[in-house]
DNA sequence: TAGATTGTTAATCGATTAACAATC
DNA sequence: TAGATTGTTAATCGATTAACAATC
């Protein structure tokens, strides 16, 4: 049975909780659920999807083993190189962001307005094709202005990018085999404000 | 009937599409759905939740009226002041981000390591209580290092913050009446990488 | 008119939750 | 043993989709 996206999205949170409980040999689904405000049944079901060994009645799951299992499932060890396209403030902040997991490595940026970003080089967009091909890149972080978002996206698709983390406010039109993950900061904050107002009604 | 979170989250996208179709007087649910890869039924249901007037058979919805309705529903006109706590790279990039909607205004930042950010001032954390009270702030963007995330979160809750946009990798423990919206960039990118690998299996 | 579109009611689908026997 | 926990099967819940009459 394929894992659901909902389950997949909870795995990183489980991993964090497990890692934070340094002194425990066993961790129960009840404890994890409590810390994340989820139901223990849900946690158990999720873990059943990725765990290679069974939990122990009365004790819970072996913490180290479970961490290994989740990391193996998420393929944390296998590093993928990604690029940032658009070296504005957000793009630069992401290029310098230190907390990405080990499975991801931002190797360079692209922008027609050349800048240097710590130890990461920024190349002009006309170098995109050759560098993406040579370095075998399939994922791009898109942080260009809204006006050029679709145009640059089309370019990314043309050079063979298959996954786009989209920080622009534009809904990108892409072929079926390309995955876009939208990270519309403007919409996110607007919705948080709205939700909070609703709470207070 | 209360609007569902799923519907709420699609509204900003509808708004963007509607605004981009500058020359149309009427816009159909079919067209919006097509542009966003959704079903037209879903779009219609969503719009029914927020639209004050009915759509017209054969034509669709009056574009300008619909924009007004969605904006009124999201309360885009009513500006809320928010603060950034943690003026590192991400925090600074957000403070200078120009694309937030009109309903949000980042008025200042807080960090013990004082910096200046364009025209926005950064204050030390011990000024938080008095400034949050005086300015009547209820929302904070949390961009501090993971190590101090829960501690600063507790402080935010103590001074009366009710909504936290959490950019740290830590799952925050908050009272029931505080809304946390997690924006874990590290988990997001890791999951995009994983999804893409899954596609290729 | 024919055909595209709307809005609503019913059906489907998938995720979450409940129930419960098995285990240590 | 008693009680906490697991894993699984069934029930519930909510969101999406299908069906279809009404409209212009």
């Amino acid at each position: 049975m394929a894992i659901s996206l909902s389950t997949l999205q909870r795995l990183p949170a489980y991993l964090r909780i497990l890692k934070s409980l340094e002194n425990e040999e066993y961790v129960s689904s009840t404890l994890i659920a409590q810390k994340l405000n989820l139901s223990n049944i849900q946690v158990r079901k999720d873990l059943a999807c990725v765990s290679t060994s069974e939990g122990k009645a009365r004790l819970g799951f072996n913490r180290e083993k479970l961490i290994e299992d989740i990391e193996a499932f998420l393929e944390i060890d296998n590093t993928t190189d990604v690029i940032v396209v658009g070296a504005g403030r957000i793009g630069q902040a992401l290029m310098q962001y230190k907390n990405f997991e080990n499975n991801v490595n931002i190797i360079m940026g692209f922008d027609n307005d050349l800048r240097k970003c710590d130890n990461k080089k920024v190349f002009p967009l006309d170098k995109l094709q050759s560098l993406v091909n040579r370095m075998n890149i399939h994922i791009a972080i898109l942080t260009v202005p809204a006006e050029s978002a679709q145009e640059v996206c089309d370019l990314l698709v043309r050079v063979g990018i298959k996954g786009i983390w989209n920080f622009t406010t534009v809904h990108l039109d892409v072929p079926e085999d390309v995955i876009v993950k939208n990270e519309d900061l403007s919409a996110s904050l607007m919705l948080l404000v709205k939700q909070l107002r609703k709470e207070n009604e």
Side-chain angles (χ1 to χ4, degrees), chain A residues 142 144-154 166 168-170 172:
Chain A
L142 187 62
V144 298
E147 306 83 71
S148 49
Q150 184 61 57
E151 184 190 335
V152 175
C153 168
D154 292 343
N166 177 26
T168 77
T169 56
V170 176
L172 300 174

Side-chain angles (χ1 to χ4, degrees), chain A residues 21-33:
Chain A
L21 295 166
E22 287 166 19
N23 300 319
E24 307 298 324
E25 188 177 355
Y26 288 92
V27 178
S28 75
S29 56
T30 317
L31 180 61
I32 299 175

Side-chain angles (χ1 to χ4, degrees), chain A residues 84 86-97 111 115 117 143-145 167 185:
Chain A
V84 166
R89 280 186 272 257
I90 295 278
Q92 286 188 51
L94 290 172
M95 272 196 263
Q96 293 169 73
Y97 188 65
D111 198 312
R115 270 166 277 214
C117 204
T143 47
V144 298
F167 279 79
L185 301 173

Side-chain angles (χ1 to χ4, degrees), chain A residues 2-16:
Chain A
I3 196 168
S4 77
L5 184 60
S6 322
T7 293
L8 192 59
Q9 286 173 336
R10 283 187 293 265
L11 294 179
Y14 297 159
L15 209 46
R16 294 248 160 67

Side-chain angles (χ1 to χ4, degrees), chain A residues 95-96 98 106-108 116-122:
Chain A
M95 272 196 263
Q96 293 169 73
K98 307 290 182 206
I106 299 181
I107 52 166
M108 53 180 123
K116 233 198 147 184
C117 204
D118 263 12
N119 50 355
K120 275 164 194 159
K121 279 211 174 134
V122 174

